[in-house]
């Protein structure tokens, strides 16, 4: 079983839709949960990170972590064509978790159609 | 622009050859991470350096090596190249060793023919 699982999609939605992206994981030592956005032919760009369980909101983006279910989500409200990109989840145990290396999901390709 | 620079942008070389990829971290960042991104494997962590010393190792092949210099730039050396090494190679940096806030460079696209 892979440490981090992410449906690679692709996902196509109309402009203005609410988008839900998800990852599951198996390593209970993960404490930090990140979402990266990667445009075609560019490096990944950090969108948000969350420590432990809970929600975090930043503009149209909301990240949720449910450690009991080992499940994380990213919601995008009022999606825009400029949100079209590949979204990667990433996780780390952090120094307390014994491993600081990031483990990435494979990425979900999102297209928002005008 | 993340502030992380990588050179070259593209590299085309033949099997069996050796190449060096270069990364300059953001100003003030002490930690550099190297990743390989391929279509089938996704983004794979290779190795981390912190202030000149190796800090963590991931799925890095023995044919690959890296170092971080006193000015904090880093180089990834890939030798005895195989077709399967064709991929995007990214470096990322962070201020401390906290891996959760990494800033990625634009990547080097390596094509092995």
């Amino acid at each position: 079983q892979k440490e981090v699982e992410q449906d690679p999609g692709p996902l196509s939605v109309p402009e203005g839709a609410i988008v839900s992206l998800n990852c599951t994981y198996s390593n209970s030592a993960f404490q930090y949960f990140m979402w990266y956005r990667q445009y075609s032919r560019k490096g990944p760009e950090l969108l948000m990170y969350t420590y432990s369980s809970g929600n975090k909101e930043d503009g149209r983006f909301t990240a949720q972590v449910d450690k009991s279910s080992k499940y994380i989500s990213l919601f995008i409200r009022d999606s825009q064509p400029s949100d079209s990109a590949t979204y990667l989840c990433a996780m780390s145990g952090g120094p307390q978790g014994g491993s600081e290396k990031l483990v990435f999901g494979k990425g979900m390709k999102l297209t928002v159609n005008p | 622009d993340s502030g992380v620079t990588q050179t070259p942008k593209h590299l085309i070389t033949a099997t069996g050859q050796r190449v060096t990829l270069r990364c300059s971290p953001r100003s003030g960042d002490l930690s550099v991470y190297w990743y390989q991104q391929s279509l089938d494997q996704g983004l794979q962590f290779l190795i981390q350096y912190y202030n000149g010393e190796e800090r963590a190792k991931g799925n890095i092949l023995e044919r690959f090596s890296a170092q971080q210099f006193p000015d904090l730039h880093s180089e990834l050396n890939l030798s005895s190249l195989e077709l399967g090494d064709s991929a995007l190679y990214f470096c990322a940096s962070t201020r401390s060793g906290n891996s959760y806030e990494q800033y990625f460079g634009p990547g080097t696209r390596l094509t092995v023919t």
Side-chain angles (χ1 to χ4, degrees):
Chain A
Q1 182 187 10
K2 282 191 164 246
E3 276 190 293
V4 179
E5 301 271 8
Q6 182 178 13
D7 181 352
L11 178 63
S12 182
V13 302
E15 183 175 353
I18 295 174
V19 176
S20 171
L21 307 170
N22 312 296
C23 288
T24 59
Y25 63 95
S26 59
N27 189 343
S28 56
F30 287 146
Q31 296 285 346
Y32 295 90
F33 304 91
M34 282 68 67
W35 285 97
Y36 282 82
R37 176 175 63 195
Q38 186 175 20
Y39 291 114
S40 183
R41 299 182 180 279
K42 301 283 188 185
E45 169 196 359
L46 179 65
L47 277 176
M48 305 176 69
Y49 78 86
T50 310
Y51 173 71
S52 193
S53 279
N55 295 358
K56 189 171 186 177
E57 192 171 316
D58 184 1
R60 295 184 295 110
F61 297 88
T62 299
Q64 284 186 355
V65 174
D66 181 349
K67 289 190 72 181
S68 62
S69 302
K70 295 191 176 69
Y71 188 89
I72 72 169
S73 302
L74 177 72
F75 297 96
I76 307 174
R77 288 184 299 281
D78 188 25
S79 56
Q80 303 294 309
S82 58
D83 295 328
S84 298
T86 296
Y87 289 81
L88 302 107
C89 62
M91 306 178 192
S92 164
Q96 300 89 346
S99 174
E100 294 187 48
K101 70 169 191 171
L102 285 187
V103 181
F104 282 84
K106 279 202 169 183
M108 158 79 86
K109 184 168 181 171
L110 171 68
T111 301
V112 181
N113 301 300
Chain B
D1 184 0
S2 67
V4 178
T5 60
Q6 288 186 250
T7 56
K9 277 190 175 177
H10 304 278
L11 204 45
I12 301 174
T13 190
T15 54
Q17 295 299 303
R18 173 190 166 94
V19 297
T20 297
L21 313 183
R22 183 188 167 105
C23 168
S24 292
R26 293 186 314 161
S27 177
D29 283 3
L30 300 177
S31 204
V32 170
Y33 304 75
W34 285 98
Y35 292 88
Q36 179 192 60
Q37 187 175 43
S38 60
L39 278 173
D40 55 341
Q41 292 294 321
L43 201 58
Q44 299 282 312
F45 168 70
L46 295 177
I47 196 164
Q48 178 200 358
Y49 279 83
Y50 178 75
N51 204 18
E53 293 194 5
E54 184 183 303
R55 179 87 167 239
K57 230 171 182 174
N59 303 321
I60 188 165
L61 299 171
E62 283 193 17
R63 300 183 286 107
F64 296 0
S65 65
Q67 55 183 326
Q68 186 179 28
F69 294 86
D71 67 353
L72 300 176
H73 91 272
S74 179
E75 292 180 358
L76 179 67
N77 300 296
L78 315 176
S79 61
S80 303
L81 285 167
E82 301 175 359
L83 295 177
D85 298 327
S86 297
L88 271 167
Y89 291 84
F90 289 103
C91 80
S93 72
T94 62
R95 191 125 300 172
S96 63
N98 295 327
S99 61
Y100 48 86
E101 209 167 350
Q102 294 185 26
Y103 293 87
F104 281 75
T108 293
R109 181 175 294 276
L110 173 67
T111 302
V112 182
T113 62

